[in-house]
Amino acid sequence: MFKHDKQLLKDVRVDGPNPNYANMLQEQLGGPQGELKAAMQYLSQSYRIKDPRIKDMFLDIASEELSHMEMVATLVNLLNGHQVDAYNTTVGNIEASVLTGLTPMLANASGYPFTAAYVNETGDLAADILSDIAAEQRAKVVYQYLYRQINDSGVREAIDFLLNREEAHNTLFRMAFNMLEETGSLKDWGVTEDSKQYFDLSTPGKFFDANNLTNPKPPKFNIPNQQNTQQPAGIRQ
């Protein structure tokens, strides 16, 4: 069950209307690295998670992503202003002025509608978490690109908040990945000779010493700003 609180996670404001930038910001509303994609991905993945700690974390983050989507939609709405003006809207998406009456729509900056094809889910917790870590990193990059292209102080304040929340989610996903031990696709890692061969096929090469890879283990992440170096107990499922 979900409950909506009318108070935004963080209040947003803009210095003034800017329809072209509203179109650009649509990328984080309905694009492949956007907030709706993140919410749907983490929610969908959570259905198969057995460990209650990790399942709870996925649901928390998915719910927060919906609140991020609400913030972005509010920004888009404010930036669109009150007058339809497709003639002076030069960025690819002009639907707001010719179709939706300035209502933010579930589309990217070029006007392509959101699609569930953006959502990745495998049922393998290790694979899904690695996908989520990459998703948070990509979302931060898009926000950084957007931040560099606007001088509106209100928009910049909101984007700065959102990209830092992406970092927080990334950290949580990395901690969850480190909790996995010999589960799913991490089982029997590096036990065959084929898994221990590394080809040097580019010239010049040999930038990695294969002698250090004779006993490969599943990767772990260093957690930024983690005071306690002891990792949580591993899980098996």
Side-chain angles (χ1 to χ4, degrees), residues 82-220:
H82 302 290
Q83 300 295 325
V84 293
D85 188 13
Y87 184 79
N88 290 313
T89 302
T90 57
V91 181
N93 176 16
I94 63 171
E95 275 86 348
S97 291
V98 300
L99 177 63
T100 68
L102 303 182
T103 302
M105 65 182 295
L106 302 182
N108 69 4
S110 296
Y112 292 104
F114 175 83
T115 169
Y118 295 154
V119 175
N120 294 302
E121 46 190 347
T122 68
D124 181 88
L125 193 50
D128 282 348
I129 290 179
L130 287 173
S131 177
D132 298 340
I133 290 169
E136 294 293 332
Q137 200 76 18
R138 290 192 298 266
K140 179 185 176 183
V141 169
V142 174
Y143 275 128
Q144 288 175 323
Y145 291 153
L146 287 165
Y147 186 92
R148 296 170 192 165
Q149 298 177 77
I150 188 69
N151 292 321
D152 187 302
S153 61
V155 175
R156 280 195 155 202
E157 180 182 341
I159 290 177
D160 183 67
F161 171 81
L162 290 166
L163 69 84
N164 280 282
R165 291 307 302 158
E166 307 296 353
E167 288 186 356
H169 295 169
N170 201 324
T171 298
L172 288 172
F173 281 129
R174 291 174 185 227
M175 289 184 66
F177 187 85
N178 286 354
M179 293 167 64
L180 306 180
E181 180 183 354
E182 290 290 323
T183 65
S185 59
L186 296 182
K187 288 181 179 179
D188 301 322
W189 190 286
V191 297
T192 69
E193 289 305 312
D194 289 335
S195 68
K196 299 176 184 179
Q197 293 187 42
Y198 308 95
F199 298 110
D200 179 29
L201 301 178
S202 62
T203 304
K206 296 186 177 179
F207 290 108
F208 297 95
D209 186 358
N211 292 325
N212 294 327
L213 300 172
T214 55
N215 187 29
K217 299 293 183 182
K220 293 283 187 178

Side-chain angles (χ1 to χ4, degrees), residues 216-232:
K217 299 293 183 182
K220 293 283 187 178
F221 288 98
N222 291 324
I223 308 303
N225 303 320
Q226 187 173 12
Q227 299 300 318
N228 185 358
T229 57
Q230 183 176 358
Q231 297 295 331

Side-chain angles (χ1 to χ4, degrees), residues 42 46 49 51-64 125 129 132 168-177 179:
Y42 308 154
S46 74
I49 297 176
D51 186 276
R53 299 166 296 172
I54 298 181
K55 186 181 186 74
D56 184 72
M57 185 200 76
F58 268 65
L59 291 170
D60 284 344
I61 297 177
S63 299
E64 185 183 344
L125 193 50
I129 290 179
D132 298 340
H169 295 169
N170 201 324
T171 298
L172 288 172
F173 281 129
R174 291 174 185 227
M175 289 184 66
F177 187 85
M179 293 167 64

Side-chain angles (χ1 to χ4, degrees), residues 37-72:
K37 172 266 178 78
M40 293 299 98
Q41 178 160 308
Y42 308 154
L43 182 63
S44 298
Q45 291 171 345
S46 74
Y47 297 140
R48 291 287 294 177
I49 297 176
K50 299 179 179 67
D51 186 276
R53 299 166 296 172
I54 298 181
K55 186 181 186 74
D56 184 72
M57 185 200 76
F58 268 65
L59 291 170
D60 284 344
I61 297 177
S63 299
E64 185 183 344
E65 298 290 10
L66 288 174
S67 70
H68 291 181
M69 175 184 165
E70 188 176 29
M71 288 177 61
V72 173

